[in-house]
Structures are given as structure tokens and as C-alpha cells.
Amino acid sequence: MSYGTNPNNPSSSNFEPYSFNDDFAGSFDDEGASLRQPPVQGDLASVTIPVTVSGNMGPANLSGGGAGTLKPALDTLDEPVWDTVRRDLLSIWAKLRQVLLPRKDNTANILKDWDLWGPLLLCLALSLRLSITAADGQAPAVFTAIFVIVWCGAAAVTLNSKLLGGKMSFFQSVCVLGYCLFPLVLGAVVCAFIPLIFVRIIVVGVTFAWAVYASIGFLSDLGLEKRRALAVYPMVLFYFVIAWMVLISKSLFN
Amino acid sequence: MSSNYDVLTDLDPPVDNSPEAQLEFQNFVLSDEQKSSYGKGPTPNRGVPSTGSGANFGFSTPAPGPQMQQTAQARGGFWTVEYYSQYFNVDTADVIQRMLATVIPGRQFSEVLGSNPDLYGPFWIATTVIFSFFVASSVAGSIAALLDPSSTSYVYDMATLSVAVTVIYTFVTVIPLILWAVLKYFKGPANLLELIDAYGYALAIWIPVSLLCIIPLSIVTWVLVMVAFASTVLFKVRTIRPIVSQTNDKFASTLVLSAIVITDGALALLFRFYFFP
């Protein structure tokens, strides 16, 4: 395939500034991408100047997690779907474990690789659980309210930290706030089976404190000295509102 | 503005023209004092934006002196996030001081704000008030259901949250906007951000009041609501009366001040009758 050939006389090679090697077109017919180097034509005296193309020419990485890092050497098109899904579920689970047992040493590493699947799953779980036991006719309203509170609340808290001068990336912060909902989701599921208000207060209180402690641990290195309370308060308010919605929801038994 | 351009300002660094100096290596880099003296210029206020009086919308761009130009460009347009970070330039102590200034009569609120009105206070205080209304309403409802032997278990009403959101956010944004528009119509000095700050910080008293209204005695509720209403109205009248009196228009004064009293009263009544039936 030549660029710039005379269409009337394809055999004429008077004006051929670029000529793509045939291998360039051929690599699209292969299944799965592979690194393909067209052979270099080293004849400097010829008019044609081959363009060497290198790099992974295949389709984009199709793993469903949308993880932040590319894995150029991994070919995910041929593997079973379950493997792809399992890899992302394991990554979500690793982050949830990080939230459950916040450790000081590697807090920065795992959540830099942000994804929004975990927060979405947690938000859906929470909204479903709270709308199941809502008042008559209010189940859609409760579902919507929880959904909006979680996403708009996370966005508002993140914007607040950024505007006060914090240095966290937007989606990373939303990811952290979403993952730190995990204790509250656990608390909501547990509270579904406890009709006694005093036990619920204890359960919700513990999970609320846990969620706040985890999120402050992740978002603590923002570089705000005299404004720490201003940055932390919206986080506390966010988790308090969600904890309150969990507390006042009915259980399955009354 | 024309007075700023009457005086020629020499922007070149001073050059030593003596024969000995001409042969030497001359330093043309401005020292810090020289830079700051060029910025000040003939009128000291040329580079400083005025946000106290003067009819600016809160989106004022400062008259650029050399050191001001950098900050104006770094902020970007009003569609970027960085532009709004200038309105979040407060510390914890500032926010607390401003909240206390709405309840404790002392300095004028515009003095407390200085030249630094913020958006952090109004937004987060309004959000907290919304949720404290909702929390107090649901707790009071469940206590009433507990005390009333005829009713079954209480289920919270989600609609109160939606109503609270609408009412409070409108109260903090639309009413200051209307007041600002009225003041501008009557050619008075008005700063929208200061009005929003006044309304936002004044809501702070409703947080403890709403939580105390959980007590199921109706007389307690009435007293608390009266106290909150009186406090907010007095604060706003004290803050806005000097602004509106500068229009020298009796009609404008009565209009604005009665609008403040009416809207605050409406909020208090809504609180008393809708959230705590």
C-alpha cells in the first residue's frame, strides 16, 4: 500500500514519499495483538521512506475494572471472562481489606490505583438495604436519597478539601470516601436483623467511628495545618448522615 | 480611574551613567524593594481589590499591579475550580469567630469578614442545618410515638429531608440574591458575598435550637424558636441597616428590612409547624 501514488498509473513510482510496509496492514488481521516490527528498508537511495511502527497495536485492555494502570504485556482478550472479573473482584476485595484494617505502612499505595466500581457496589448495596425496609411507597425515594447523598456528598467533601488547598486528586478522594463506606454497609446489614434500638445504636456508632477513622487515615496527608478541622468536619458530617439513615431504618422484624 | 494614569512611572531600573560605571558590569535585576515600590505606584490602592463597599459582584478582578497580575492569572476563569479557592481562604478560627459574631453583638459583621468573605461557612452551615432539622424531626417524631400509647412504631418521613434541602438552600442563596438585586436597584452599595455570608452564618443558631427542640414540651419548643428568630433578625437588621441606609431612600429601607423580618419569620414558622407537628 503506497501513499501518494498516481491513481491512474499505479506502477509509477515517481512520487512516493511514504510507503507503509505490507506488514502494517497485515497485523490487523491477527487475533490478539502482538508486537510487530515491519522490516526496515535500509536503502537510503530509494525514494520511499518506510515508517517504522512499534508498540502494542491490539485492542485496548478489556478488563472491566477500569484500573488506573495499563498492563501492556497482558493479553486479556483470550482469557475466560471469569478470570477478568475475578481479578477485579480481588482488587476490590484488597482495597476493602485495607479499609477494614487500616495499616499505616502501605495506605498510600493501594488506593492510588483508584477505581469507582467498589464505591458503586457499596452504594448500591446500602441503597437497596435501606430502601427494602422503608415506609410504604417511599422505597424509591429512600433509594434515590441514599444514592444522591453518597455520590454528591463524596463530591462535595472532595471539592471542599481541594478548595481549602488540599493536594489529593478528585477521583482518588471519591474512591477513598466510597470504600470507607464499607463498615457502614456491614452495619446496615447487621442492623437488618436487630430490632432493639439500643443494640443498633451501639452497632451504628462503632461502624461510624470505624469509617471516620479509616477515611481520616487515608486523607490525612493533605497539607492543611490550620484548616484540618475545616477539612475533616465535612467527612464526619457525611458519614454521620449515612449512619443516621442506617440507624433509623426499620429492621426486617418490626 | 483616570487619576491612576496621570503620573509617569519609570519602570526601568536605575542606570548609573558615570564613565566608570559604564565600563563595569551593570546589574539590571530588580531587588525586592524596587519591585514592590513599582507595584505601589502613585496611589497606594491601585493594586488592591476593594470588597467592602463598592458595587462589585464578588467576582471582581483586581486592577493589576505587577504582583497582582500573577495572582489574577493563576486563578483562571470562573468556570475553573481554582477560581473558587479564593473564597475558601479561611482557617478554623476564622469560621468559629464569624459564627460567634452572628450571635454576640459586637463588631459589625463586615468588619469581622474583613476583605475575605468566604463560601465555606454558608455552604457547610446550611448543610448541617438541613441534617440537624431532619435528625431532630425524626427523633422528636419517634419520641412522640413512644409517648403516645395509641400509635404503633414510627417510621421517618423522607419528604422532610427533601423539604429541608429545598428550603434551606433557597434561603441561603436566593434571598441574599434578591436583597442584593433590590439594593443595586436603589443604587446602594451591596456585596453579594457578604450578604450570603450574613445569611449563612446566621443559620448557625438553628443547629443547637433544632437539637434542643427534641424535648417534647411544646412551651420549650416555642421559646427556643422565638429566641432563634429574635437572634437572627436582630443580627441581620444590624448588619444590613447601614448598607441600606446609604441609599437615602426610606422606601428602600422599609422594604429591605421588612423583607428580612418576613423571611426569617417564615423560616421559624415552617420549622415549628412542619418539622415538629
Side-chain angles (χ1 to χ4, degrees):
Chain A
M1 190 159 91
S2 295
Y3 173 84
T5 33
N6 186 345
N8 296 328
N9 191 357
S11 62
S12 153
S13 58
N14 289 337
F15 186 64
E16 293 177 345
Y18 299 107
S19 128
F20 292 104
N21 195 287
D22 280 340
D23 277 6
F24 180 76
S27 69
F28 282 120
D29 298 332
D30 288 349
E31 296 175 326
S34 49
L35 233 56
R36 205 60 89 87
Q37 287 276 3
V40 176
Q41 293 169 337
D43 185 1
L44 292 178
S46 80
V47 178
T48 63
I49 303 167
V51 175
T52 51
V53 176
S54 66
N56 191 341
M57 300 289 292
N61 191 335
L62 289 176
S63 65
T69 55
L70 269 181
K71 305 176 184 62
L74 193 58
D75 185 355
T76 60
L77 196 55
D78 289 336
E79 65 177 10
V81 173
W82 171 242
D83 276 356
T84 314
V85 173
R86 198 172 126 254
R87 186 183 323 116
D88 291 319
L89 286 176
L90 285 177
S91 144
I92 292 178
W93 172 241
K95 293 187 186 131
L96 287 177
R97 261 199 345 256
Q98 190 80 32
V99 173
L100 279 181
L101 304 164
R103 245 168 287 153
K104 278 301 170 189
D105 46 350
N106 52 355
T107 41
N109 302 340
I110 272 203
L111 282 158
K112 270 208 185 354
D113 192 10
W114 59 267
D115 75 284
L116 292 179
W117 280 104
L120 182 67
L121 288 175
L122 289 172
C123 175
L124 281 174
L126 188 66
S127 307
L128 276 174
R129 151 66 188 94
L130 292 179
S131 67
I132 286 174
T133 57
D136 288 335
Q138 286 204 335
V142 170
F143 185 94
T144 316
I146 302 294
F147 213 84
V148 166
I149 287 174
V150 167
W151 289 106
C152 292
V157 172
T158 307
L159 269 180
N160 178 67
S161 300
K162 282 182 79 77
L163 286 168
L164 283 174
K167 298 278 180 292
M168 177 76 87
S169 116
F170 180 81
F171 285 109
Q172 222 173 318
S173 177
V174 171
C175 168
V176 166
L177 287 169
Y179 271 106
C180 289
L181 275 179
F182 184 53
L184 283 166
V185 174
L186 285 180
V189 170
V190 166
C191 280
F193 303 104
I194 303 177
L196 291 169
I197 187 72
F198 295 109
V199 182
R200 290 160 71 105
I201 289 179
I202 296 174
V203 168
V204 172
V206 165
T207 51
F208 163 67
W210 185 1
V212 169
Y213 174 69
S215 69
I216 290 181
F218 286 122
L219 297 174
S220 63
D221 47 0
L222 291 180
L224 306 168
E225 305 84 17
K226 285 188 282 187
R227 305 178 180 182
R228 254 187 93 76
L230 294 188
V232 165
Y233 170 70
M235 268 187 248
V236 171
L237 182 66
F238 174 64
Y239 288 116
F240 180 78
V241 168
I242 296 180
W244 183 259
M245 303 295 292
V246 170
L247 180 65
I248 63 178
S249 65
K250 287 197 302 189
S251 78
L252 291 170
F253 297 131
N254 66 348
Chain B
M1 281 297 281
S2 64
S3 61
N4 289 338
Y5 299 98
D6 282 344
V7 178
L8 287 177
T9 312
D10 186 4
L11 292 177
D12 292 329
V15 174
D16 190 354
N17 279 322
S18 65
E20 298 78 23
Q22 292 271 330
L23 291 176
E24 288 175 346
F25 184 74
Q26 305 225 12
N27 186 8
F28 290 115
V29 175
L30 289 178
S31 67
D32 278 330
E33 311 95 57
Q34 288 167 322
K35 273 187 212 164
S36 57
S37 68
Y38 291 142
K40 294 289 173 0
T43 49
N45 288 328
R46 201 181 85 188
V48 176
S50 64
T51 52
S53 51
N56 50 1
F57 190 61
F59 294 109
S60 57
T61 45
Q67 77 261 47
M68 276 297 168
Q69 245 167 0
Q70 283 171 327
T71 43
Q73 280 160 9
R75 278 189 229 139
F78 63 88
W79 55 89
T80 61
V81 169
E82 290 76 26
Y83 181 83
Y84 293 98
S85 57
Q86 63 177 312
Y87 301 121
F88 277 74
N89 195 15
V90 278
D91 295 332
T92 313
D94 294 333
V95 173
I96 295 178
Q97 184 189 27
R98 291 173 188 195
M99 282 200 283
L100 289 175
T102 62
V103 188
I104 301 172
R107 297 192 294 160
Q108 271 289 326
F109 193 64
S110 48
E111 282 174 43
V112 176
L113 287 182
S115 63
N116 187 20
D118 69 304
L119 282 175
Y120 177 93
F123 179 71
W124 286 110
I125 292 178
T127 311
T128 311
V129 166
I130 289 172
F131 289 115
S132 72
F133 277 15
F134 178 63
V135 164
S137 174
S138 43
V139 172
S142 69
I143 289 181
L146 209 65
L147 295 177
D148 185 1
S150 63
S151 67
T152 57
S153 69
Y154 169 81
V155 178
Y156 68 94
D157 186 9
M158 203 65 204
T160 47
L161 186 60
S162 333
V163 167
V165 165
T166 318
V167 166
I168 300 290
Y169 279 141
T170 312
F171 189 76
V172 166
T173 51
V174 170
I175 299 193
L177 192 67
I178 294 177
L179 279 183
W180 175 82
V182 168
L183 284 170
K184 292 281 289 212
Y185 176 76
F186 285 105
K187 314 269 188 317
N191 185 343
L192 180 65
L193 269 181
E194 281 191 12
L195 288 172
I196 291 182
D197 273 5
Y199 268 77
Y201 280 103
L203 276 181
I205 186 141
W206 286 106
I207 301 173
V209 161
S210 62
L211 293 176
L212 285 174
C213 279
I214 293 175
I215 301 170
L217 298 169
S218 130
I219 183 71
V220 169
T221 313
W222 270 114
V223 165
L224 286 168
V225 168
M226 288 289 119
V227 164
F229 170 68
S231 160
T232 52
V233 164
L234 285 174
F235 165 69
K236 285 177 192 147
V237 165
R238 196 174 81 231
T239 309
I240 298 181
R241 192 207 291 268
I243 301 177
V244 82
S245 64
Q246 289 186 33
T247 62
N248 298 321
D249 189 344
K250 275 287 180 214
F251 175 65
S253 301
T254 36
L255 182 69
V256 167
L257 295 176
S258 53
I260 293 173
V261 172
I262 289 173
T263 48
D264 267 14
L267 181 69
L269 288 175
L270 179 77
F271 174 74
R272 172 66 186 87
F273 289 114
Y274 180 73
F275 289 95
F276 295 89

